[in-house]
Amino acid sequence: DTAVSQTPKYLVTQMGNDKSIKCEQNLGHDTMYWYKQDSKKFLKIMFSYNNKELIINETVPNRFSPKSPDKAHLNLHINSLELGDSAVYFCASSQLTGTETQYFGPGTRLLVL
Amino acid sequence: TQLLKQSPQFLSIQEGENLTVYCNSSSVFSSLQWYRQEPGEGPVLLVTVVTGGEVKKLKRLTFQFGDARKDSSLHITAAQPGDTGLYLCAGEMTAGNKLTFGGGTRVLVKP
């Protein structure tokens, strides 16, 4: 029983394409997050949703658009992919924001060629 | 500029040795967390410290939050190969706010 799942695990695509990553959590948490981990393993928050509402929106290009159809799902759509978008994208969830334990998914490894 | 700086960036030791990883900042944090990430997986929370000067122990791991709540350390006693991984500290500046992660410390424990 996976707590936080992401699909796909690997994504290889060409520059300029549009792609989506999906995330689901079965922990009953109210808050979900998207993080980007670059090649140097630096993990940076991109977005956070609480009960389907956007609460954190970091300085992320507007080519990235998160969508939360319900509080158990948080998807990430990326338009016009660029080489610099290559990274591992992690979804996470927590009951509340910040101090509460964040549970991370296994990550989606995106490679833009 | 990273708000939280971890040192060292990489540490390679023999099984049985001790190690310490540091997480430093010039900013005050309301809480600080330590995560371990293994290859191909997401980070997993090890501990959360919230009080200045707090020390928490998790088996062979000892975590300390600085008195001024600007820094933290993770000490592993008698390291084992299973301790190998990327250790990340993450701080929350205001309660209920986002987590800011440090750059990570890669630990390799050789048998």
Side-chain angles (χ1 to χ4, degrees), chain A residues 5 9 16 19 37 39-40 44 55 66 71 80 93 106 109:
Chain A
S5 59
K9 185 162 186 177
K19 290 292 178 187
Q37 188 171 46
S39 57
K40 294 185 179 179
K44 189 168 163 49
I55 54 171
K71 73 174 195 177
S80 303
S93 74
R109 284 134 194 87

Side-chain angles (χ1 to χ4, degrees), chain A residues 37 58 90 97-99 101 109, chain B residues 33 37 40 45 92 96 98:
Chain A
Q37 188 171 46
E58 289 295 286
F90 286 99
T97 57
T99 308
T101 301
R109 284 134 194 87
Chain B
Q33 298 181 336
Q37 183 180 11
L45 180 70
E92 183 187 32
K98 64 180 181 181

Side-chain angles (χ1 to χ4, degrees), chain A residues 9 33 35 37 39-45 56 58 88 90 97-107 109, chain B residues 2 30-31 33 35 37 39-45 48 50 86 88 92 95-99 101-103 106:
Chain A
K9 185 162 186 177
Y33 312 81
Y35 286 89
Q37 188 171 46
S39 57
K40 294 185 179 179
K41 301 301 182 184
F42 185 56
L43 195 62
K44 189 168 163 49
I45 191 165
I56 292 175
E58 289 295 286
V88 183
F90 286 99
T97 57
T99 308
E100 292 291 319
T101 301
Q102 292 192 18
Y103 294 84
F104 284 79
R109 284 134 194 87
Chain B
Q2 289 183 18
S30 62
S31 67
Q33 298 181 336
Y35 289 80
Q37 183 180 11
E41 297 181 10
V44 176
L45 180 70
T48 301
V50 297
L86 177 70
L88 296 160
E92 183 187 32
N97 206 330
K98 64 180 181 181
L99 278 181
F101 280 81
R106 288 179 189 261

Side-chain angles (χ1 to χ4, degrees), chain B residues 23-25 27-32 49-55 63-73:
Chain B
C23 177
N24 294 301
S25 177
S27 301
V28 175
F29 289 89
S30 62
S31 67
L32 203 133
V49 285
V50 297
T51 306
E54 183 176 3
V55 176
F63 304 86
Q64 187 160 7
F65 200 12
D67 290 339
R69 290 186 287 130
K70 292 182 179 181
D71 51 76
S72 181
S73 63

Side-chain angles (χ1 to χ4, degrees), chain A residues 31-33 45-50 53-57 97:
Chain A
T31 307
M32 295 184 73
Y33 312 81
I45 191 165
M46 300 173 70
F47 302 103
S48 172
Y49 271 74
N50 182 264
E53 283 193 34
L54 181 67
I55 54 171
I56 292 175
N57 185 349
T97 57

